[in-house]
Amino acid sequence: MVSMWTSSNVRIGAHPLVSAYIDAIEKEDYLALDRRVYRYDDTWDPELVFAYISAHPLTAPLATSKPAVFIAYISSLRDFCIALGRLLLACRSSDLACISREDCVRFERGDDGVTTGVSIRFYRPKERNSMPTNSRGYTRWVTIPAISDKSVCFCTLLREYVTYTGLLPRDGDALFVTERADKKHNGRVWALSSERLAKRMRSVMSLAGVPEDFMSHSGRHAGIALRKAGADTLISRGYQTAPWCDEQVMNLARMSARTYVTHYLRSIRAAELDEGVPPVAGS
């Protein structure tokens, strides 16, 4: 067997079977020594982001405003929608890249024609290989209700964003796009990649005062905690009436009980909100 590896120019220590075995031993040692094998023991308080967005309501620019004003408005509107979407949908940045305007966004209206919420679904997300065949790559719809506080109403902000960016020449049908066009994309705005979506999430987290040790992927942990331990944030704003049970949270986040308990069932780190909300960068 050793001769087979050396003849194929594969060092014994670098062979996939050997490296996988070593990794397994290292992880077992972590468990035996009671050392953590993940980045966080807890998650951050989602109220930080809600408080920041609420303290910085956006005002639509006038028709006579300069292009730079429109660009700044669309950019801020997009970033707020990304942050609220990550939390309320308990999703990944890569999930947001799986939303098309035509097939994955649906604004709900009551009998009186008033918008009551927005329904979102994802097309071919990360767990697509485990999805049933009859789903045709789409997750089930999740509806986020409209609330009275328009400054943090995901439905209101997203409808505004879709309306404004719908006037721009777009390369594709992605929901979240760049704020500027370029020659490479034939003078059109284009879809944000999951990496750029993660950067926009991290930017809002930083402005909101989320501890620096939390990276953008922790937004899903915070979104899950928001439905249970942090439910007061949603209840006070009218998003839900009571903390959710574990089954509801797992259905929202599309994850198994084992994944939920092992990686996502975490407490919220105590946050200091009394000192005021951090100002907008540059102000």
Side-chain angles (χ1 to χ4, degrees):
M1 183 177 293
V2 172
S3 62
M4 289 171 54
W5 293 351
T6 55
S7 63
S8 59
N9 297 322
V10 177
R11 293 186 299 106
I12 294 178
H15 192 277
L17 292 176
V18 177
S19 59
Y21 179 67
I22 293 174
D23 287 342
I25 292 176
E26 290 178 347
K27 290 180 180 179
E28 183 66 27
D29 286 344
Y30 271 115
L31 295 175
L33 295 174
D34 196 27
R35 295 167 62 184
R36 69 178 188 176
V37 295
Y38 45 85
R39 184 182 292 270
Y40 314 112
D41 290 313
D42 53 11
T43 191
W44 48 275
D45 190 352
E47 175 61 23
L48 289 167
V49 168
F50 279 86
Y52 173 78
I53 294 176
S54 180
H56 299 89
L58 300 175
T59 302
L62 299 175
T64 56
S65 299
K66 296 181 179 180
V69 176
F70 279 95
I71 291 174
Y73 175 70
I74 291 174
S75 179
S76 297
L77 196 57
R78 178 200 60 202
D79 290 356
F80 284 3
C81 288
I82 289 172
L84 291 176
R86 286 286 309 276
L87 292 173
L88 293 170
L89 296 168
C91 66
R92 318 172 186 90
S93 292
S94 61
D95 291 333
L96 296 184
C98 297
I99 304 176
S100 65
R101 300 181 178 222
E102 183 68 25
D103 299 325
C104 300
V105 180
R106 186 174 66 196
F107 290 98
E108 310 291 351
R109 299 181 181 275
D111 295 336
D112 55 359
V114 176
T115 302
T116 59
V118 59
S119 295
I120 302 287
R121 64 178 179 178
F122 308 109
Y123 178 64
R124 294 181 60 78
K126 184 177 180 180
E127 69 274 13
R128 56 185 175 273
N129 292 331
S130 62
M131 294 171 60
T133 304
N134 60 7
S135 70
R136 294 189 292 182
Y138 291 99
T139 62
R140 64 180 182 82
W141 290 98
V142 174
T143 301
I144 305 298
I147 61 173
S148 58
D149 185 354
K150 303 304 181 184
S151 66
V152 289
C153 178
F154 177 65
C155 175
T156 299
L157 294 176
L158 187 64
R159 184 176 59 180
E160 188 84 351
Y161 176 72
V162 169
T163 299
Y164 270 87
T165 54
L167 302 175
L168 302 176
R170 288 177 286 112
D171 184 4
D173 193 44
L175 176 59
F176 294 110
V177 296
T178 60
E179 66 273 20
R180 298 176 185 273
D182 67 4
K183 294 181 179 179
K184 182 179 178 180
H185 295 84
N186 299 317
R188 300 171 181 269
V189 296
W190 67 96
L192 289 184
S193 64
S194 57
E195 291 78 13
R196 294 188 68 176
L197 286 164
K199 289 181 179 179
R200 302 322 308 158
M201 177 65 181
R202 187 68 190 86
S203 175
V204 175
M205 289 168 58
S206 179
L207 290 171
V210 174
E212 291 296 324
D213 56 320
F214 287 108
M215 307 303 289
S216 60
H217 70 265
S218 65
R220 197 179 192 205
H221 298 84
I224 287 174
L226 179 64
R227 295 292 181 173
K228 287 176 61 65
D232 286 346
T233 292
L234 298 183
I235 294 172
S236 64
R237 290 179 168 86
Y239 274 116
Q240 63 188 51
T241 57
W244 281 12
C245 65
D246 292 328
E247 288 75 14
Q248 288 175 299
V249 177
M250 288 186 288
N251 286 334
L252 172 69
R254 311 180 314 281
M255 63 177 57
S256 66
R258 180 176 180 178
T259 299
Y260 173 67
V261 172
T262 304
H263 301 289
Y264 290 93
L265 192 57
R266 300 179 183 176
S267 60
I268 293 177
R269 184 181 300 182
E272 295 293 337
L273 293 175
D274 297 334
E275 297 180 0
V277 178
V280 176
S283 61

